[in-house]
Amino acid sequence: MFARSFLALLLSLLGSTLAGAQNLTVVAAASVRHAMQDIVASYQQQFPDDAIRIIFGASGGLTTQIINGAPFDLFFSADTALPQRLYDEGLTTGKPVVYAEGRLVLWSADLDASTLTLHDLTSPNIRRIAMAQPRTAPYGQRAQEALTNLGLWDVVEEKIVFGENISQAARMAEAGAAEIGLIALSLAVVPPLNDQPFQLIDRDLHAPLTQAFVITRRAASNPIAHRFADFIGTPEVTAILRQHGLHS
C-alpha cells in the first residue's frame, strides 16, 4: 500500500515538473546561422540547463509562420522591417531590438571575386548569378536594390538563379550552379567559403542591412526567452557577431 502511494506521489511530482518545464525555440535568418550557433554555445556555457532549439530560414518565410501561429519564441531577422511588422500586429512583447548590421559580398568558387565589381556581372563569361529571393529574403532585396541603382538589374536578371534564402544561394555558388554569388559576408568569412576571396558591395548602393530581433507574444512569460534576449547585449555576443562580419 505504501509503495503504491509513494509511486503515485512520485509520478505526480514528475508530471508537475515536466508540465512546468520550459525550453526555447529561436528562429533566425539563414545569414546568421554560424554566428547564432556560436552565440547559443556561449550562452549554454553559462546556462547549461536551458534547452534551446534553433531553426534557420528566410526572414520573410519565418515572419509568415509567426503570423500564422508557429510556436516560435525569439525571431532574429536579417532586417528591421519584418520584426517591426510583427510588433505592429501585436505579435511581440516589445519593439524590435537591433543586434547587428550585415554586408553583401560577391563570392565565387572559381573566380577571384576580390578583383570583380557588380559591373562585371554583365560579362558573357558569367552565365549564372546566385542570390537570395528578394520576395522573402532581405539580402536578396538589397542585392536587387544595388543592381537596380547601378542600372544593371534589367541586364543581368535573366542570369540570376534564386535561392530560397541566402544560405541556399551561397550553396549554389559553392557547388558551381552559378559562377558567382551575391551572398552575406557572414557566410563568406566562415568554412567552407572562407578559403575564397570576396568583394564587399558598397553599402551606399542599397538600404542598410540593419538586423533586429523580437520576443514573440507566445514567450512573454518564458524566463529563458528574456534571459537569452539579455545575453544578446553582452560583450561576448558583440565579439561573436564581429567575428562573423556582423558588426553591431
Side-chain angles (χ1 to χ4, degrees):
M1 181 69 178
F2 174 78
R4 285 198 301 271
S5 298
F6 178 78
L7 180 60
L9 177 61
L10 184 63
L11 291 173
S12 175
L13 290 172
L14 179 60
S16 298
T17 300
L18 290 175
Q22 289 182 298
N23 52 28
L24 189 69
T25 299
V26 175
V27 293
S31 58
V32 299
R33 173 185 293 272
H34 301 285
M36 186 57 63
Q37 289 170 338
D38 286 353
I39 289 168
V40 169
S42 179
Y43 173 86
Q44 294 199 301
Q45 287 180 0
Q46 297 186 35
F47 304 101
D49 295 331
D50 289 358
I52 301 178
R53 179 172 67 131
I54 322 173
I55 299 170
F56 298 102
S59 296
L62 294 172
T63 299
T64 299
Q65 291 181 59
I66 293 170
I67 290 171
N68 290 334
F72 302 150
D73 299 312
L74 276 91
F75 170 43
F76 288 80
S77 181
D79 71 351
T80 57
L82 293 170
Q84 183 66 41
R85 177 184 174 189
L86 294 177
Y87 171 73
D88 291 342
E89 295 191 20
L91 297 175
T92 72
T93 62
K95 294 181 179 180
V97 177
V98 172
Y99 68 96
E101 182 175 349
R103 293 291 303 273
L104 269 170
V105 302
L106 283 173
W107 185 93
S108 174
D110 299 314
L111 304 174
D112 182 355
S114 67
T115 66
L116 303 177
T117 70
L118 291 176
H119 290 282
D120 291 309
L121 299 182
T122 63
S123 168
N125 294 326
I126 295 178
R127 296 169 297 168
R128 293 287 183 269
I129 304 161
M131 60 178 270
Q133 175 56 252
R135 289 196 301 271
T136 57
Y139 276 85
Q141 294 170 6
R142 301 299 183 265
Q144 184 176 17
E145 286 174 19
L147 291 168
T148 300
N149 286 333
L150 289 174
L152 298 174
W153 177 255
D154 291 339
V155 181
V156 302
E157 184 178 7
E158 63 180 14
K159 298 183 177 187
I160 295 174
V161 289
F162 294 108
E164 179 184 350
N165 55 59
I166 197 66
S167 287
Q168 190 176 96
R171 287 195 297 271
M172 293 164 69
E174 180 193 7
E179 284 84 9
I180 199 162
L182 275 160
I183 69 169
L185 172 62
S186 57
L187 300 178
V189 296
V190 295
L193 306 187
N194 62 333
D195 285 340
Q196 288 293 103
F198 58 82
Q199 179 70 264
L200 275 172
I201 303 303
D202 185 348
R203 67 173 83 217
D204 292 333
L205 291 174
H206 57 77
L209 275 160
T210 307
Q211 305 184 190
F213 77 90
V214 286
I215 301 175
T216 67
R217 189 173 59 194
R218 172 182 185 269
S221 60
N222 186 336
I224 303 176
H226 294 277
R227 190 154 53 236
F228 189 80
D230 289 342
F231 184 71
I232 297 302
T234 63
E236 296 104 298
V237 171
T238 298
I240 290 170
L241 292 170
R242 288 187 176 279
Q243 186 178 19
H244 287 82
L246 292 157
H247 302 294
S248 58

